[in-house]
Amino acid sequence: EHTGKWLAQTRFPSITSKTLQMISDVMNRDATSANHLLQGLAKKNETYDFTVQFLPHLFHSFGHGRTLCTPNSSLVKKESAELLLSTTMPMGVGRLHEHMNTTRYREALRTLETFVGRGEAGPLEDLPVPSVSADGSVKLGGASVMRFFAQNLMYAFASGIPYTSATMEQRYSYVEWVYFYRKVLSQVPAKLAVQRACGILKVIDDLRSPLGPNMMYSGHDGDLDALALAFQLSWEAPPWPGTSPTPPGSALAFTVQPEEVKVEFLYPVFNGSAAIDLRSMATSPAKVDLAAVEERVKKLIRLYAGQSCIDACQGAKSI
């Protein structure tokens, strides 16, 4: 709701239900987020008549009872393993194997244990380092545990819930393990381009119709990742660490201009109080050629799932 109020003040001072269409997934808290966002956008003392359209296939082209597109599981596994080997781990740990600073890795686990305690399984520093198993699957070991608790530390902090002695700086430092985890397991092109194919194509269609209503989507981190892949975008969002972080409540904003599309990244900064600071940063690149994006996206989807995936998405737009 706070974000909705900020958008109403800075970007949509005269927004109405006739000039805005909200689309949401049905999973997790997306519907709740969509409704709170609309409540923030709505004007006081006026009838609230905003509605939400639920189009789950735009967020998941396979799984959850639908199979519009099918990923190549072997290729997904192969690309995930390659990402593990090529992605730098946070907090000075470095890349796996010869580039990995195992001392820093153990220190990060030991420090985390001072925040969350030690369970029956024993010291956190005894957890294994990330690896690729004999069958090619990625095993993240202690990195997965740091990702789990880092998310808890930050979300509790953002919600004003007292939780551990970790400082604000330490919480922001550990949250980069969330992005490392997702980089290796979720931001796999062979998976992401297929899973979010219908949503990417829908956004492109929206941007090709600038005379239509303003469009908003309430979805997931993975949807931002998919748009970053499709539009070849990256961004910085200090104090959030890493490249292209996706804090809770963040968004990509696309503005159609005469010859191109302007893109910004909107995100919150949490400081432990209810006064959430909302910021806007230009992406890199800050403007994109929509025709070039569409050509590249369709080529990418065909590569990973074939023309049938594009056809299925286009035929399912009204579901």
Side-chain angles (χ1 to χ4, degrees):
E1 187 172 346
H2 181 76
T3 302
K5 290 179 180 178
W6 181 75
L7 290 172
Q9 293 171 358
T10 60
R11 295 170 183 270
F12 304 112
S14 57
I15 199 78
T16 69
S17 61
K18 294 181 176 61
T19 59
L20 173 68
Q21 183 177 358
M22 172 68 79
I23 294 175
S24 175
D25 193 6
V26 297
M27 294 183 63
N28 300 332
R29 294 183 293 274
D30 298 314
T32 302
S33 297
N35 279 299
H36 279 295
L37 185 62
L38 290 173
Q39 289 172 26
L41 284 165
K43 294 180 176 61
K44 290 184 178 180
N45 304 319
E46 291 189 9
T47 301
Y48 179 87
D49 59 352
F50 288 98
T51 59
V52 179
Q53 185 177 13
F54 296 100
L55 297 175
H57 73 282
L58 297 182
F59 305 89
H60 307 276
S61 69
F62 61 85
H64 310 289
R66 71 187 67 85
T67 308
L68 298 176
C69 307
T70 304
N72 182 323
S73 58
S74 296
L75 189 54
V76 171
K77 183 184 292 186
K78 177 177 178 291
E79 288 189 352
S80 180
E82 291 171 350
L83 284 169
L84 174 62
L85 296 175
S86 63
T87 303
T88 300
M89 285 180 273
M91 302 176 73
V93 174
R95 294 185 182 180
L96 200 59
H97 298 321
E98 68 270 16
H99 300 289
M100 182 177 178
N101 188 328
T102 54
T103 300
R104 288 281 182 89
Y105 183 75
R106 302 299 178 196
E107 286 176 352
L109 286 166
R110 281 198 301 270
T111 302
L112 177 63
E113 189 173 290
T114 67
F115 302 148
V116 302
R118 178 181 297 183
E120 293 182 3
L124 293 184
E125 66 176 302
D126 290 346
L127 290 169
V129 301
S131 64
V132 178
S133 65
D135 69 352
S137 300
V138 167
K139 307 296 183 182
L140 288 182
S144 181
V145 173
M146 284 193 277
R147 166 256 178 184
F148 177 82
F149 282 112
Q151 185 166 289
N152 284 354
L153 287 168
M154 181 54 73
Y155 286 13
F157 180 66
S159 302
I161 300 172
Y163 177 49
T164 83
S165 60
T167 66
M168 182 172 68
E169 290 75 16
Q170 287 170 321
R171 294 170 197 264
Y172 274 108
S173 178
Y174 272 94
V175 83
E176 193 171 0
W177 287 103
V178 175
Y179 305 131
F180 169 76
Y181 175 96
R182 290 182 42 245
K183 176 71 174 179
V184 173
L185 294 183
S186 301
Q187 297 174 11
V188 182
K191 176 182 179 182
L192 194 60
V194 180
Q195 186 178 44
R196 260 64 181 198
C198 299
I200 295 170
L201 293 169
K202 176 67 167 62
V203 169
I204 291 173
D205 278 352
D206 292 343
L207 295 173
R208 290 172 59 188
S209 306
L211 298 181
N214 295 290
M215 304 294 298
M216 286 191 184
Y217 290 79
S218 178
H220 314 270
D221 295 22
D223 298 300
L224 296 178
D225 295 335
L227 292 172
L229 174 67
F231 286 79
Q232 294 190 333
L233 302 171
S234 63
W235 55 83
E236 303 295 327
W240 296 92
T243 301
S244 305
T246 53
S250 58
L252 282 167
F254 296 85
T255 305
V256 178
Q257 298 181 332
E259 300 295 331
E260 51 201 353
V261 176
K262 176 184 175 183
V263 192
E264 300 167 272
F265 184 67
L266 314 178
Y267 69 98
V269 175
F270 304 119
N271 58 16
S273 73
I276 301 173
D277 181 19
L278 295 169
R279 300 181 185 178
S280 171
M281 297 284 285
T283 61
S284 178
K287 295 182 179 181
V288 296
D289 181 314
L290 193 58
V293 169
E294 182 174 19
E295 181 180 357
R296 183 172 61 249
V297 163
K298 289 185 175 179
K299 185 181 295 185
L300 188 67
I301 295 172
R302 290 190 190 102
L303 172 67
Y304 287 127
Q307 178 64 37
S308 61
C309 177
I310 296 174
D311 295 340
C313 288
Q314 291 175 337
K317 285 177 181 175
S318 61
I319 293 179

